[in-house]
Amino acid sequence: MMRDADFAMTVFSIEIPENVRIVAKSNLDYLTTYILLELEDWFEDEIAFVRRCVEPGTLAFDIGANHGVYTLTMAALMKGDGHVWAFEPSSQPLSMLRASIGENGFQDRITVLDCALSDHAGTAPMGISTTQSEGNSLHRLEGETEEVRLDTLDAVWQRLGAPPIDLVKLDAEGEELKILTAGTGFLTDCQPIIMFELQRTVPEQAALAAAFVSMGYGIYRLVPGLGLLTPVDLAAGYDYFQVNLFACKPERAARLAARGLLAREVTDASTPSLPLPDPKTLLGARPFAAGLAGGWNPDPATGTALACVLAAEDERRSPGERVRLLHRGLTGLEEDLKTEEHAATRLSLLRALRAYGRRGEMKKHVQPLLDQGAGAVAAALAKRPFLPPLAAWDSAPVHGSLEDWTAALLADTFAVSCHHSTYYSLDCAGALWDQRANPNSTVAMFRRLFLMFLRTGRTIRFTDERNDMLLRASAQHRNPLIWKWLLDPNNKAANPAEAG
């Protein structure tokens, strides 16, 4: 754990869920460092599913482990009963991974294999990015390269004693198809669930999916808001924010379905197994609606669509029914907006889009609300039940006026809709800056705002107690000591200029 005396160190030990600590360079130009400080987690929705999937006794391969966010998360959830074999050939992230294993005391449950997998053994040059090691690749050789060792999946698995692997994370930056070609024995015998990265081009993605299908694997995608997998239409396009797909054979799919983690088929939601909830009653019990629900006069049509979205959250229902209910609610809200423009409907639609895995469509629905202004939106929200676009806001009570709460919510939603991380885009900087004194602004909003300023060479002065939340530990903020270092005006590396 980082202490005051550690602030001169060149690395951070960043805490993420499950009390896992990731060692990363103390430089905000490094993608891993920035994202873990911004989100206090990884940016991929699929990591939440992996947390649900892994249990004591799980055996896993992490192919392309990088800094070890998935490796260490899986190891933590095994509770000492299980093992992860982490494949990472690049020296810089490999050194961080080894340090993180020691930091977490996971030497007994993680084995590091310092090689890249391919369709043959030997060596090859790997393109290296100093600050974005997630993109290190055997296929992109512009700029700096590093000679790495190659091996095959079948050969490594056999040398390890052919352990019955349950789960594979496959992120090899374009080498995936070659890995499968030399891994047919492993894939036939173990039949694990495989999370694999979407490929760079449509033909590459089609070829990889076809390879899995030819071996009897079905292809699935995550429904983020439900935390379960559903069959994917390979002919359809993919959402901008979707990073990974999953492959598994029927027997593995059946086991996941029995745990409520996979919908083998999407069932008809026209006759739900349980009655649809009353949105006003269900939402009225959530902290954000305290003081609001009494004034709600629900529209019957919109109420049905919203009820379907809420019903999809009910884990007593089958996975297939939950997916269908969410889709029915989403399409119902879209139809309602065509009939009547209402801020409550649009906010609920934003929530449904995020939950269903259509986050890439959120930005076009946030903008009309920003154009209306927080006052007009708040007035509409006082009259009709709605879901906040971001689930974390369900537990965020109104501080001050409803207009203030709405302004902060819209700014946060806009930030989430712009990109995976503010590392890639400063589009939301103005929106977040405008809410810096808003009592409803969250610590996550402050992290985004301050990281954007710090990375571009500006210092943030604390002007009120709200800003000081970055220096205090809380359930929503795990790394205050790192922030103390980042915001120290004497640390010129972190604060080369002043924002005022």
Side-chain angles (χ1 to χ4, degrees):
M1 181 176 179
M2 181 169 277
R3 301 167 293 277
D4 283 354
D6 295 322
F7 289 147
M9 295 172 62
T10 59
V11 297
F12 290 146
S13 176
I14 306 172
E15 184 177 327
I16 65 172
E18 309 304 328
N19 299 314
V20 166
R21 305 194 72 85
I22 307 295
V23 176
K25 292 284 188 179
S26 57
N27 184 328
L28 297 181
D29 285 332
Y30 282 72
L31 176 66
T32 298
T33 303
Y34 189 103
I35 286 180
L36 293 181
L37 285 174
E38 177 186 18
L39 305 178
E40 297 199 329
D41 203 351
W42 198 229
F43 70 91
E44 298 173 351
D45 288 326
E46 290 82 6
I47 195 167
F49 176 80
V50 169
R51 289 192 179 102
R52 297 189 69 199
C53 193
V54 172
E55 55 189 347
T58 296
L59 301 178
F61 277 177
D62 187 351
I63 301 171
N66 205 264
H67 283 66
V69 175
Y70 279 92
T71 289
L72 295 152
T73 294
M74 291 189 288
L77 291 163
M78 291 169 182
K79 309 298 183 185
D81 181 13
H83 205 84
V84 185
W85 288 267
F87 297 76
E88 179 48 56
S90 304
S91 57
Q92 191 268 329
L94 179 63
S95 67
M96 297 294 102
L97 171 60
R98 293 189 189 280
S100 293
I101 292 170
E103 180 83 354
N104 290 276
F106 287 167
Q107 295 91 333
D108 62 333
R109 64 190 87 168
I110 298 174
T111 297
V112 176
L113 301 164
D114 57 350
C115 66
L117 294 183
S118 186
D119 59 358
H120 65 282
T123 62
M126 172 171 279
I128 301 298
S129 170
T130 301
T131 57
Q132 298 185 36
S133 60
E134 292 74 13
N136 291 354
S137 173
L138 295 169
H139 294 263
R140 292 188 288 275
L141 301 179
E142 305 86 2
E144 184 180 353
T145 62
E146 176 181 351
E147 197 75 8
V148 300
R149 187 168 62 88
L150 302 181
D151 215 324
T152 69
L153 179 54
D154 275 347
V156 172
W157 176 60
Q158 289 290 347
R159 285 200 300 272
L160 293 173
I165 299 299
D166 302 293
L167 187 153
V168 175
K169 190 211 92 186
L170 178 58
D171 182 1
E173 296 299 321
E175 196 71 3
E176 287 84 355
L177 194 55
K178 290 184 177 181
I179 293 171
L180 297 189
T181 301
T184 54
F186 165 79
L187 293 166
T188 300
D189 287 1
C190 291
Q191 302 184 13
I193 179 171
I194 303 166
M195 186 184 93
F196 62 98
E197 187 179 38
L198 280 169
Q199 300 301 289
R200 291 172 294 171
T201 69
V202 172
E204 287 177 317
Q205 179 56 40
L208 183 57
F212 278 119
V213 171
S214 70
M215 290 183 282
Y217 283 75
I219 310 297
Y220 300 83
R221 72 167 181 90
L222 178 68
V223 182
L226 305 185
L228 55 85
L229 304 183
T230 190
V232 68
D233 179 2
L234 295 175
Y238 300 103
D239 186 78
Y240 169 76
F241 285 90
Q242 189 169 348
V243 180
N244 301 285
L245 294 176
F246 291 81
C248 65
K249 286 195 170 184
E251 183 180 344
R252 181 77 61 178
R255 279 184 268 170
L256 292 168
R259 294 175 58 192
L261 299 178
L262 181 145
R264 301 187 70 181
E265 58 182 10
V266 178
T267 56
D268 180 14
S270 60
T271 55
S273 62
L274 298 168
L276 294 179
D278 172 51
K280 180 176 179 178
T281 301
L282 188 60
L283 292 172
R286 300 186 182 184
F288 83 90
L292 279 177
W296 283 343
N297 182 24
D299 173 78
T302 304
T304 300
L306 182 55
C308 287
V309 175
L310 292 167
E313 298 176 352
D314 189 345
E315 294 188 3
R316 295 174 300 169
R317 302 175 191 270
S318 72
E321 183 183 4
R322 294 178 66 201
V323 174
R324 178 59 72 184
L325 281 166
L326 179 55
H327 183 263
R328 179 184 168 192
L330 189 160
T331 55
L333 290 166
E334 288 178 320
E335 290 300 314
D336 292 338
L337 267 184
K338 294 176 183 178
T339 303
E340 178 197 12
E341 173 60 46
H342 198 286
T345 307
R346 195 171 289 276
L347 281 179
S348 299
L349 175 59
L350 282 162
R351 175 67 163 267
L353 289 168
R354 178 77 180 91
Y356 194 68
R358 288 167 51 183
R359 181 178 169 186
E361 299 176 43
M362 289 179 66
K363 192 172 182 179
K364 69 180 182 182
H365 287 288
V366 178
Q367 193 58 54
L369 297 170
L370 294 171
D371 292 342
Q372 290 180 45
V377 173
L381 299 184
K383 299 175 182 178
R384 187 178 294 180
F386 68 94
L387 266 170
L390 308 177
W393 283 77
D394 286 5
S395 56
V398 174
H399 296 291
S401 69
L402 179 58
E403 181 176 349
D404 287 341
W405 184 89
T406 302
L409 171 66
L410 292 179
D412 198 17
T413 303
F414 179 69
V416 169
S417 72
C418 286
H419 216 298
H420 292 100
S421 164
T422 54
Y423 182 90
Y424 297 105
S425 169
L426 302 178
D427 290 353
C428 64
L432 294 177
W433 177 257
D434 289 344
Q435 302 306 316
R436 66 193 183 279
N438 189 324
N440 298 281
S441 292
T442 67
V443 69
M445 294 169 66
F446 276 91
R447 288 199 301 262
R448 288 192 185 95
L449 178 63
F450 283 25
L451 283 169
M452 284 188 282
F453 280 133
L454 289 170
R455 187 167 174 239
T456 53
R458 303 175 71 188
T459 294
I460 307 293
R461 289 180 178 173
F462 291 119
T463 56
D464 56 44
E465 186 178 350
R466 293 289 298 162
N467 292 350
D468 284 345
M469 71 172 72
L470 286 173
L471 305 182
R472 300 192 299 269
S474 69
Q476 293 76 38
H477 189 58
R478 303 167 181 270
N479 297 285
L481 291 181
I482 294 177
W483 280 95
K484 180 179 179 181
W485 186 87
L486 284 171
L487 297 168
D488 184 346
N490 297 313
N491 174 16
K492 295 181 181 178
N495 299 288
E498 282 198 359

